[in-house]
Amino acid sequence: MKKIFLLSLLFIQITVFSQQPLKVEMAERPSSMGIHPAFEVAVPNASVKDAEELFKNSMHEKKFFGLIKKKADSKKSGDEWMTEEFDFKTVSDKPMVVLFQAADYDDLTYVRFFFIQDARFLGSSDYNPAKVIRNAESFVQQYAVTLSQQTIQTEIDNEKKALAKLEKKLRKLKKKGKRLRKKMANRKDEYFGELVVLDDPVEIDGSTKGQKRKLKGYERRMRRNYKQQQDIQSQIANQEKVIERLRSKLKDVE
C-alpha cells in the first residue's frame, strides 16, 4: 500500500507545489478497497506519527446532545487505518466508515480520507450529496489546519528550548566575567577600580613581573569572556528572530 501511495504522489507533486499547501483536493486514489475518491491534503513538515495520532483523536461520535464524545475504534493494516462504522455527525447524519492514509514525501506529509457510507465511497458517481461533500471537505481542511498548527507549535517549543539553553550559557558567562573582574581588582586594586565592561583596553602596570603576568592573564581571560558573551548574545538575537518568524507562520495557518 505504501508503494502505491508514494507512486501516486509522484503524479500529483507538481500540482500540489503550485497550490496552497493546505488546500483539500478530491481525487481518485488507491486504497485497500480499490481506487476510490479521496479527500487529500498536503501538510508541510508534519510527521506521519502526529498525523495518525490526530486522526485517531478526531474520530469520535457525540452522545447525549454532544456532551460526551466517544472515540470510534480504528485498526491499522499496513499503512492504512480503518474505523468501525460510527455516527460521524461532523460529516453526515448517517453512520459511516473512514479510511485514512498518511505518508511523507520531501518536506510534505500527505493525508487522505476516504468516507464510506452504505458500502459507497463519498464522491463517487453513485454517492455525491453536495452537503456531505462540503462537510467532509470542511472537516479535512480543519484537520490539516490543526495538524499544521501542532507541527509549528512543536517547532516553536523546540526553538524556545534552544533559546533557554543560550540564555543559561550567557548567565554563566556573565557570572564568570564578574568573578574575573573581582579577582583582577583584588590583585591590583590601585590600577583597577570599578571595571564593569571591557569596551576599552585595560592598562596594566604591575610592580613586579610575576604580578604583571598574572594581571595580563586575567586581562586575556576577561577579553575572551567578553567575546564569548557577544557571540552568545548574537545567537540569542538570531534565535529570537527564528521564534518570531514561526509565531507569524502559526498565525497565518488557515
Side-chain angles (χ1 to χ4, degrees):
M1 175 60 66
K2 186 172 183 178
K3 290 182 179 179
I4 296 175
F5 196 174
L6 292 176
L7 284 173
S8 66
L9 294 183
L10 294 175
F11 292 100
I12 64 173
Q13 182 185 11
I14 296 176
T15 302
V16 171
F17 274 112
S18 64
Q19 298 170 345
Q20 293 298 321
L22 298 183
K23 183 176 181 181
V24 178
E25 298 286 348
M26 187 169 66
E28 298 285 326
R29 298 292 181 232
S31 72
S32 60
M33 301 174 69
I35 298 177
H36 295 285
F39 295 77
E40 183 176 68
V41 62
V43 182
N45 302 317
S47 71
V48 171
K49 181 180 178 181
D50 289 343
E52 292 179 338
E53 284 300 315
L54 180 59
F55 159 73
K56 289 186 289 184
N57 292 332
S58 300
M59 296 294 103
H60 54 73
E61 55 183 318
K62 296 180 180 180
K63 294 181 176 292
F64 300 105
F65 306 100
L67 298 176
I68 298 177
K69 293 181 180 180
K70 179 181 180 296
K71 274 190 181 181
D73 290 334
S74 56
K75 295 181 179 180
K76 187 177 184 181
S77 178
D79 296 294
E80 182 179 84
W81 289 84
M82 177 185 289
T83 70
E84 63 179 349
E85 186 175 63
F86 70 109
D87 291 324
F88 194 26
K89 296 189 181 297
T90 302
V91 175
S92 175
D93 291 332
K94 296 180 180 180
M96 61 170 43
V97 173
V98 180
L99 302 182
F100 174 81
Q101 301 170 357
D104 51 8
Y105 189 82
D106 288 340
D107 293 330
L108 296 173
T109 291
Y110 294 81
V111 295
R112 293 175 183 166
F113 288 85
F114 300 82
F115 300 94
I116 309 170
Q117 210 165 55
D118 298 327
R120 297 176 297 174
F121 280 77
L122 181 62
S124 60
S125 58
D126 61 341
Y127 184 59
N128 54 8
K131 181 180 179 181
V132 180
I133 288 178
R134 286 196 302 271
N135 290 343
E137 289 176 339
S138 177
F139 164 76
V140 176
Q141 176 70 25
Q142 185 55 51
Y143 166 91
V145 167
T146 301
L147 180 58
S148 181
Q149 289 174 334
Q150 289 180 355
T151 300
I152 297 171
Q153 186 58 55
T154 298
E155 291 183 65
I156 291 174
D157 293 341
N158 290 336
E159 297 297 343
K160 287 172 72 174
K161 289 178 183 178
L163 175 61
K165 288 181 180 180
L166 288 171
E167 290 174 336
K168 183 178 180 181
K169 190 173 182 179
L170 179 61
R171 287 194 297 271
K172 287 183 176 180
L173 285 170
K174 286 184 175 180
K175 287 181 180 179
K176 184 178 180 180
K178 186 176 181 179
R179 288 195 301 269
L180 286 171
R181 288 195 297 271
K182 186 176 181 180
K183 288 181 180 179
M184 194 171 182
N186 290 339
R187 285 283 182 178
K188 193 65 174 177
D189 189 57
E190 62 269 26
Y191 291 100
F192 304 97
E194 292 295 325
L195 185 59
V196 179
V197 296
L198 295 176
D199 291 323
D200 300 319
V202 179
E203 295 295 336
I204 298 175
D205 184 21
S207 57
T208 67
K209 290 183 178 180
Q211 186 182 46
K212 188 172 182 179
R213 281 196 299 268
K214 289 181 180 180
L215 293 172
K216 283 290 187 181
Y218 280 124
E219 181 191 29
R220 286 192 296 270
R221 291 167 63 186
M222 289 176 68
R223 291 193 179 280
R224 183 165 59 248
N225 176 273
Y226 181 66
K227 178 63 168 58
Q228 290 172 336
Q229 288 188 42
Q230 286 184 313
D231 291 342
I232 294 298
Q233 286 171 339
S234 178
Q235 292 179 48
I236 287 175
N238 290 334
Q239 192 68 16
E240 289 173 339
K241 290 178 182 178
V242 169
I243 293 172
E244 187 57 37
R245 285 196 295 268
L246 285 172
R247 283 173 174 163
S248 296
K249 184 178 178 182
L250 182 59
K251 292 179 181 179
D252 293 338
V253 175
E254 59 184 27

